Amino acid sequence: MTTGVAGRTGRRPGDPAHTRRAILDAAIDAFAENGFGRTSIRKVAATAGVDPALVHHYFGTKDRLFLAALDVPVDPAELVPMVIAGGREEAGERLVRTFLSVWDSPRGSATVAVLRSAVAHPWIARLLREFVFTRIVLPAFAELGLDDAADRDRRAALVASQILGLALTRHVLRFEPLASASEADVVAAVGPTLQRYITGDIGA
Amino acid sequence: MTTGVAGRTGRRPGDPAHTRRAILDAAIDAFAENGFGRTSIRKVAATAGVDPALVHHYFGTKDRLFLAALDVPVDPAELVPMVIAGGREEAGERLVRTFLSVWDSPRGSATVAVLRSAVAHPWIARLLREFVFTRIVLPAFAELGLDDAADRDRRAALVASQILGLALTRHVLRFEPLASASEADVVAAVGPTLQRYITGDIGA
């Protein structure tokens, strides 16, 4: 449930890097045990033996602490405005563009590492799902005026199936010609799929 | 590049299980080093120190040897007729039905294990891609009358992105409500995506 031993050694108590690492280790244990929603910065601070103000000092918000603990190199909540800026009829295309802007950037390989971790460790997958759902999917669908909970949950899972499948084939398995395809080609091919999953007829 | 130590021990030379394991270990090394196409049963037999006839006796064809070596519980080539039976206009729906018939069966968990292995080990991903492409994609697309090589390769990669993304979210990460959705619901939602990737407008 915690990071490697290497992260815990080589720094003395009182050293800022030691304190930061102790907070992250406590956060990983707390998130793994209680999920994102039921973990508080206060509880993480108590486990790490530091003042909550120090956790805020190092990591800012609980979101930031969570992303740092799981080595996620980008705050997906910051990407939501890019996706919803064009309204619901452009959401599919903007969604794939937004993901590609991260994956095809220098931060992409760290993002791919997170996907590998999620596949290898179910508790990481559950945590990430809870975070992405509550911090990204709910607000984004609400902004787009898609409020029916059961319908929204189905659509969100279908979106995840194609977006994560794209990450898997293009960036992890590196299947050609998808791995080398231009952003424009990927958007033309996958954008309409996401658009249909977000606003179109998905049956039942 | 080989299976665990456990697979290599506990059996004496001359024991059929020992011979079978030695052939599989030789096959894994040979496929990993040379790919599917450039590995011969003769070479595997030589590495394992047995007669090629014995490899045929235990495993039948090279396809079967390959699938046994990678612990793939089903020969995907046997599923091709189910997918193409309805012609190109039904191929998307039949493709997702066919995959679900495996994943939702008792063999499903072994199939999911293969996906996990492919994510963890790039050489397994490359091997599986080569096998699936030459043994499944090429003949299936040819049967469906889709012969343009560049176009076919793009379509096949897009199909993989959605099919593997579905396996990932429904069976590995187990995102709800997709993980518990009925076959009919999944077919209604994902079938049209695959149909478009196989025969529709995918841009460029």
Side-chain angles (χ1 to χ4, degrees), chain A residues 116 172-173 175, chain B residues 1-3 28 31-33 35-36 66 69-72 111 113-132:
Chain A
R116 285 187 192 273
V172 179
L173 305 179
F175 283 180
Chain B
M1 291 296 188
T2 59
T3 53
I28 290 169
F31 285 127
E33 191 171 331
F36 176 74
F66 177 85
L70 292 190
D71 289 324
V72 179
T111 313
V114 174
L115 180 58
R116 284 186 193 274
S117 297
V119 171
H121 306 291
W123 67 273
I124 293 182
R126 281 194 300 274
L127 263 179
L128 286 171
R129 183 194 180 280
E130 182 195 352
F131 179 82
V132 168

Coordinates of all heavy atoms in Angstrom, one line a residue, chain A residues 116 172-173 175, chain B residues 1-3 28 31-33 35-36 66 69-72 111 113-132:
Chain A
R116 N -0.7 2.1 -16.0 CA 0.0 0.8 -15.7 C -0.3 0.4 -14.2 O -0.6 -0.7 -13.9 CB 1.5 0.9 -16.0 CG 1.9 0.8 -17.4 CD 3.4 0.7 -17.5 NE 3.9 1.0 -18.8 CZ 4.0 0.1 -19.8 NH1 3.6 -1.2 -19.5 NH2 4.5 0.4 -21.0
V172 N 0.5 2.7 -24.3 CA 1.0 1.6 -23.6 C 1.4 0.5 -24.5 O 2.6 0.1 -24.6 CB 0.0 1.1 -22.5 CG1 0.6 0.0 -21.7 CG2 -0.3 2.3 -21.5
L173 N 0.5 -0.1 -25.2 CA 0.8 -1.2 -26.2 C 1.5 -0.7 -27.4 O 2.1 -1.4 -28.1 CB -0.5 -2.0 -26.5 CG -1.3 -2.5 -25.3 CD1 -2.5 -3.2 -25.7 CD2 -0.4 -3.4 -24.4
F175 N 0.2 0.3 -30.4 CA -0.2 -0.4 -31.7 C -0.2 0.6 -32.8 O -0.8 1.7 -32.7 CB -1.7 -0.9 -31.5 CG -1.8 -2.1 -30.7 CD1 -3.1 -2.7 -30.5 CD2 -0.7 -2.8 -30.2 CE1 -3.2 -3.9 -29.8 CE2 -0.8 -4.0 -29.5 CZ -2.1 -4.5 -29.3
Chain B
M1 N 11.9 -13.6 -19.4 CA 11.2 -14.0 -20.6 C 10.6 -15.4 -20.5 O 9.9 -15.8 -21.4 CB 12.3 -14.1 -21.8 CG 12.9 -12.8 -22.2 SD 11.6 -11.8 -23.0 CE 12.6 -10.4 -23.6
T2 N 10.8 -16.0 -19.3 CA 10.2 -17.3 -19.2 C 9.2 -17.3 -18.0 O 9.1 -16.4 -17.3 CB 11.3 -18.4 -18.9 OG1 12.0 -18.0 -17.7 CG2 12.3 -18.4 -20.0
T3 N 8.5 -18.5 -17.9 CA 7.5 -18.6 -16.8 C 8.3 -18.8 -15.5 O 9.5 -18.9 -15.5 CB 6.6 -19.8 -17.0 OG1 7.4 -20.9 -17.2 CG2 5.7 -19.5 -18.2
I28 N 8.3 -20.0 -25.3 CA 8.2 -18.6 -24.8 C 9.5 -17.8 -25.2 O 9.4 -16.7 -25.7 CB 8.0 -18.6 -23.3 CG1 6.6 -19.1 -22.9 CG2 8.2 -17.2 -22.7 CD1 6.4 -19.4 -21.4
F31 N 9.5 -17.3 -29.1 CA 8.5 -16.3 -29.6 C 9.0 -14.9 -29.1 O 8.9 -13.9 -29.8 CB 7.1 -16.6 -29.0 CG 6.4 -17.7 -29.7 CD1 5.9 -18.8 -29.0 CD2 6.3 -17.8 -31.1 CE1 5.2 -19.9 -29.6 CE2 5.6 -18.8 -31.7 CZ 5.1 -19.9 -31.0
A32 N 9.4 -14.8 -27.9 CA 9.9 -13.5 -27.3 C 11.0 -13.0 -28.2 O 11.1 -11.8 -28.4 CB 10.3 -13.7 -25.9
E33 N 11.9 -13.9 -28.6 CA 13.1 -13.4 -29.3 C 12.8 -13.1 -30.8 O 13.3 -12.2 -31.3 CB 14.2 -14.4 -29.2 CG 15.6 -13.9 -29.6 CD 16.7 -14.9 -29.3 OE1 16.6 -15.6 -28.3 OE2 17.7 -14.9 -30.1
G35 N 9.5 -13.3 -32.4 CA 8.2 -13.0 -32.8 C 7.4 -14.3 -33.2 O 8.0 -15.4 -33.3
F36 N 6.2 -14.1 -33.6 CA 5.4 -15.3 -34.0 C 5.8 -15.8 -35.3 O 6.0 -17.0 -35.5 CB 3.9 -14.9 -33.9 CG 3.0 -16.0 -34.4 CD1 2.7 -17.1 -33.6 CD2 2.4 -16.0 -35.7 CE1 1.9 -18.1 -34.0 CE2 1.6 -17.0 -36.1 CZ 1.4 -18.1 -35.3
F66 N 1.6 -21.4 -29.4 CA 1.7 -20.0 -29.1 C 0.7 -19.6 -28.0 O 1.0 -19.0 -27.0 CB 1.5 -19.1 -30.3 CG 1.5 -17.6 -30.1 CD1 2.7 -16.9 -30.1 CD2 0.3 -16.9 -29.9 CE1 2.7 -15.5 -29.8 CE2 0.3 -15.6 -29.6 CZ 1.5 -14.9 -29.6
A69 N 1.6 -21.2 -24.7 CA 2.8 -20.5 -24.1 C 2.4 -19.2 -23.4 O 3.0 -18.9 -22.4 CB 3.9 -20.3 -25.2
L70 N 1.5 -18.5 -24.0 CA 1.0 -17.2 -23.4 C -0.2 -17.4 -22.5 O -0.8 -16.4 -22.0 CB 0.8 -16.2 -24.4 CG 2.0 -15.7 -25.2 CD1 1.7 -14.5 -26.1 CD2 3.2 -15.3 -24.3
D71 N -0.6 -18.6 -22.2 CA -1.8 -18.9 -21.3 C -3.0 -18.2 -21.9 O -3.9 -17.8 -21.1 CB -1.5 -18.4 -19.9 CG -0.5 -19.3 -19.2 OD1 -0.5 -20.5 -19.4 OD2 0.3 -18.8 -18.4
V72 N -3.2 -18.1 -23.2 CA -4.4 -17.6 -23.7 C -5.4 -18.8 -23.8 O -5.1 -19.8 -24.4 CB -4.2 -17.0 -25.2 CG1 -5.5 -16.5 -25.7 CG2 -3.1 -15.9 -25.1
T111 N -8.5 -14.7 -19.7 CA -8.3 -13.7 -20.8 C -7.9 -12.3 -20.2 O -7.0 -11.6 -20.8 CB -9.6 -13.5 -21.6 OG1 -10.1 -14.8 -21.9 CG2 -9.4 -12.8 -22.9
A113 N -6.3 -11.9 -17.5 CA -4.9 -12.1 -17.0 C -3.9 -11.8 -18.2 O -2.9 -11.3 -18.0 CB -4.7 -13.5 -16.4
V114 N -4.3 -12.3 -19.4 CA -3.5 -12.0 -20.6 C -3.3 -10.5 -20.8 O -2.2 -10.0 -21.1 CB -4.0 -12.7 -21.8 CG1 -3.2 -12.4 -23.0 CG2 -4.0 -14.2 -21.6
L115 N -4.4 -9.8 -20.7 CA -4.4 -8.3 -20.9 C -3.5 -7.7 -19.8 O -2.7 -6.8 -20.2 CB -5.8 -7.8 -20.8 CG -5.9 -6.3 -21.0 CD1 -5.4 -5.8 -22.3 CD2 -7.4 -5.8 -20.9
R116 N -3.6 -8.1 -18.6 CA -2.7 -7.6 -17.6 C -1.3 -7.8 -17.9 O -0.4 -7.0 -17.7 CB -3.0 -8.3 -16.2 CG -4.3 -7.8 -15.5 CD -4.3 -8.4 -14.1 NE -5.6 -8.3 -13.5 CZ -6.0 -7.2 -12.8 NH1 -5.2 -6.2 -12.6 NH2 -7.2 -7.1 -12.3
S117 N -1.0 -9.1 -18.4 CA 0.4 -9.4 -18.7 C 0.9 -8.5 -19.9 O 2.1 -8.0 -19.9 CB 0.5 -10.8 -19.2 OG 0.2 -11.7 -18.1
A118 N 0.0 -8.2 -20.8 CA 0.4 -7.4 -22.0 C 0.7 -6.0 -21.5 O 1.7 -5.3 -22.1 CB -0.7 -7.4 -23.0
V119 N 0.0 -5.5 -20.6 CA 0.2 -4.1 -20.1 C 1.5 -4.1 -19.3 O 2.3 -3.1 -19.4 CB -0.9 -3.6 -19.2 CG1 -0.6 -2.3 -18.5 CG2 -2.2 -3.5 -20.0
A120 N 1.8 -5.1 -18.6 CA 3.0 -5.2 -17.7 C 4.3 -5.5 -18.6 O 5.4 -5.0 -18.2 CB 2.9 -6.2 -16.6
H121 N 4.1 -6.2 -19.7 CA 5.3 -6.7 -20.4 C 5.2 -6.3 -21.9 O 4.4 -7.0 -22.6 CB 5.5 -8.2 -20.3 CG 5.5 -8.6 -18.8 ND1 6.6 -8.4 -18.0 CD2 4.7 -9.3 -18.1 CE1 6.4 -8.9 -16.8 NE2 5.2 -9.5 -16.8
P122 N 5.9 -5.3 -22.4 CA 5.8 -4.9 -23.8 C 6.0 -6.0 -24.8 O 5.4 -6.0 -25.8 CB 6.8 -3.8 -23.9 CG 7.0 -3.2 -22.5 CD 6.8 -4.4 -21.6
W123 N 6.9 -6.9 -24.5 CA 7.2 -8.0 -25.4 C 6.0 -8.9 -25.6 O 5.7 -9.4 -26.7 CB 8.4 -8.8 -25.0 CG 8.3 -9.6 -23.8 CD1 8.6 -9.2 -22.5 CD2 7.9 -11.0 -23.7 NE1 8.4 -10.2 -21.6 CE2 8.0 -11.3 -22.3 CE3 7.6 -12.0 -24.6 CZ2 7.6 -12.6 -21.8 CZ3 7.2 -13.2 -24.1 CH2 7.3 -13.5 -22.8
I124 N 5.2 -9.1 -24.5 CA 4.0 -9.9 -24.7 C 3.0 -9.1 -25.5 O 2.3 -9.7 -26.4 CB 3.4 -10.2 -23.3 CG1 4.3 -11.2 -22.5 CG2 2.0 -10.8 -23.4 CD1 3.8 -11.6 -21.2
A125 N 2.8 -7.8 -25.3 CA 1.9 -7.0 -26.1 C 2.3 -7.1 -27.6 O 1.4 -7.2 -28.4 CB 2.0 -5.5 -25.6
R126 N 3.6 -7.0 -27.9 CA 4.0 -7.0 -29.3 C 3.7 -8.4 -29.9 O 3.2 -8.5 -31.0 CB 5.5 -6.8 -29.4 CG 5.9 -5.3 -29.3 CD 7.4 -5.1 -29.7 NE 8.3 -5.8 -29.0 CZ 8.8 -5.4 -27.8 NH1 8.5 -4.2 -27.3 NH2 9.7 -6.1 -27.1
L127 N 4.0 -9.4 -29.2 CA 3.7 -10.8 -29.7 C 2.2 -11.0 -29.9 O 1.8 -11.5 -31.0 CB 4.1 -11.8 -28.6 CG 5.5 -12.5 -28.8 CD1 5.7 -13.4 -27.6 CD2 5.6 -13.2 -30.1
L128 N 1.4 -10.6 -29.0 CA 0.0 -10.8 -29.1 C -0.6 -10.0 -30.3 O -1.4 -10.4 -31.1 CB -0.8 -10.4 -27.9 CG -0.6 -11.4 -26.7 CD1 -1.2 -10.8 -25.4 CD2 -1.4 -12.7 -27.0
R129 N 0.0 -8.7 -30.4 CA -0.5 -7.9 -31.6 C -0.1 -8.6 -32.9 O -1.0 -8.7 -33.8 CB 0.2 -6.5 -31.5 CG -0.3 -5.6 -32.6 CD 0.6 -4.4 -32.8 NE 0.0 -3.6 -33.9 CZ 0.2 -3.9 -35.2 NH1 0.9 -4.9 -35.6 NH2 -0.3 -3.1 -36.1
E130 N 1.1 -9.1 -33.0 CA 1.5 -9.8 -34.3 C 0.6 -11.0 -34.5 O 0.1 -11.1 -35.7 CB 2.9 -10.2 -34.2 CG 3.4 -10.9 -35.5 CD 4.7 -11.6 -35.3 OE1 5.3 -11.6 -34.3 OE2 5.1 -12.3 -36.3
F131 N 0.3 -11.7 -33.5 CA -0.5 -12.9 -33.7 C -1.9 -12.5 -34.1 O -2.5 -13.1 -35.1 CB -0.5 -13.8 -32.4 CG -1.4 -15.0 -32.5 CD1 -0.9 -16.1 -33.0 CD2 -2.7 -15.0 -32.0 CE1 -1.7 -17.3 -33.1 CE2 -3.5 -16.1 -32.1 CZ -3.0 -17.3 -32.7
V132 N -2.5 -11.6 -33.3 CA -3.9 -11.2 -33.6 C -4.0 -10.6 -35.0 O -5.0 -10.9 -35.7 CB -4.4 -10.3 -32.5 CG1 -5.7 -9.6 -32.9 CG2 -4.6 -11.0 -31.2

